[in-house]
Amino acid sequence: MSKIKIEDIQKEISAFNWKVLSPEYKNLNEEMVFECSEGHKVYSSWGKIRKKLVCPVCEKNIYKYKENKVVQKKAKVRRILALDQATHITGWSIYDGNQLIKSGIFETRQENEIKRDLALKEWLINMIYLWQPDYIGLEDIQLQQFKKNNDNIIGVQTFKTLAHLQGILMATLQELNVNYGLCPPSTWRSHCKVKGTTKTDKKRSMQLLVKEWFDISVSNDEADAIGIGKYVSEVLAKKNDIEIWE
């Protein structure tokens, strides 16, 4: 039987963004030090870890392992659904009061713009039916002037595509009689204290804030939606007289 090498262990767990911190491997039962995908140290044996990658810190984090089910809303609690602006991958988050209870992304691979918009519309209708939000925050769109060596730009064609989608979503919410509001990117980012000058820097900053607040690593689309939801739950929704669904 060939001896297990530390390089073999690292290769196996790297697919899950885990690392081996121990300098050597002795046997299946010897305690080793690992680092989970969220950067926590995990003290365990390879015999246990290879059966199941378990981080005790992550196991206790209610935001890390989000069950794929609808969370029952408590009475007299305002529920918020927030969406970031996108056509292929849309980040979303749900807050009950000021507490994040769920987040994720919706992806559509339709090549045709109208088909993508209709797919997102259909998904949104289902989200409203399942979660019954009292208020929905849509990230607003903005056309920015071109600046050399600055990637913080939305081109005219992209702006038009997002405008088409925003109109469809607003009309849908109007038809369903659901309260909603538009969240300018500069406004919600200022509320969340997002840093950076370029679009890339701002998205990375938001990811780091989510990590700081909830100790979870998420995509930039999901991170933006969490930031939008935070702004809506703490500021925008409170400015409106919203009837809470019971």
Side-chain angles (χ1 to χ4, degrees):
M1 182 181 295
S2 60
K3 180 177 174 59
I4 298 174
K5 299 178 181 179
I6 197 78
E7 292 81 11
D8 299 327
I9 297 175
Q10 179 59 63
K11 183 177 180 180
E12 186 169 338
I13 66 175
S14 63
F16 304 95
N17 294 320
W18 277 54
K19 298 178 182 177
V20 181
L21 299 184
S22 293
E24 62 178 346
Y25 165 81
K26 294 182 179 179
N27 57 63
L28 288 174
N29 299 316
E30 187 78 14
E31 182 183 276
M32 299 177 64
V33 185
F34 302 88
E35 183 180 282
C36 79
S37 59
E38 296 297 347
H40 309 131
K41 286 185 173 61
V42 179
Y43 300 86
S44 184
S45 68
W46 177 233
K48 292 181 178 179
I49 288 296
R50 72 175 184 174
K51 293 179 180 179
K52 185 178 181 181
L53 288 174
V54 178
C55 169
V57 178
C58 289
E59 283 280 294
K60 294 181 180 180
N61 185 353
I62 62 174
Y63 301 107
K64 179 61 180 177
Y65 300 111
K66 302 182 284 288
E67 295 183 2
N68 190 26
K69 65 179 183 180
V70 177
V71 178
Q72 185 68 32
K73 185 176 70 169
K74 297 179 181 179
K76 298 182 180 180
V77 173
R78 179 188 288 116
R79 174 161 286 179
I80 303 298
L81 169 61
L83 307 179
D84 80 323
Q85 51 164 268
T87 57
H88 288 87
I89 301 177
T90 299
W92 59 272
S93 69
I94 294 177
Y95 282 73
D96 276 357
N98 294 338
Q99 181 180 2
L100 174 68
I101 62 169
K102 194 86 169 177
S103 63
I105 60 171
F106 171 74
E107 182 174 3
T108 175
R109 298 184 180 276
Q110 297 280 0
E111 294 183 4
N112 181 276
E113 178 188 333
I114 294 300
K115 289 183 178 180
R116 290 198 305 270
D117 292 351
L118 293 178
L120 185 57
K121 173 185 175 180
E122 186 178 79
W123 169 81
L124 178 59
I125 292 172
N126 277 275
M127 288 290 284
I128 293 170
Y129 175 78
L130 289 172
W131 291 90
Q132 295 193 335
D134 302 299
Y135 193 87
I136 294 180
L138 302 174
E139 184 179 29
D140 203 359
I141 58 175
Q142 58 182 0
L143 179 63
Q144 299 181 2
Q145 297 298 318
F146 176 79
K147 293 182 180 180
K148 190 174 181 179
N149 298 325
N150 189 336
D151 68 352
N152 192 23
I153 299 163
I154 295 181
V156 174
Q157 187 56 49
T158 301
F159 178 81
K160 289 171 63 177
T161 299
L162 292 173
H164 296 159
L165 175 60
Q166 186 177 86
I168 290 173
L169 297 183
M170 291 172 65
T172 300
L173 296 177
Q174 194 71 35
E175 291 172 357
L176 296 176
N177 196 30
V178 178
N179 289 300
Y180 70 92
L182 299 178
C183 312
S186 58
T187 302
W188 74 257
R189 283 174 175 152
S190 175
H191 178 76
C192 293
K193 294 180 172 55
V194 173
K195 298 179 181 178
T197 55
T198 69
K199 181 179 178 180
T200 301
D201 290 342
K202 291 173 183 176
K203 284 186 173 293
R204 180 55 182 160
S205 175
M206 190 62 237
Q207 287 178 294
L208 293 174
L209 286 169
V210 170
K211 174 65 176 174
E212 177 185 332
W213 297 337
F214 306 110
D215 197 17
I216 54 175
S217 299
V218 298
S219 68
N220 55 45
D221 299 293
E222 188 171 348
D224 280 0
I226 290 173
I228 295 165
K230 181 179 176 65
Y231 164 70
V232 175
S233 65
E234 295 178 353
V235 179
L236 191 59
K238 293 181 179 180
K239 294 181 179 179
N240 298 271
D241 184 15
I242 300 172
E243 180 180 353
I244 299 177
W245 290 23
E246 298 293 352

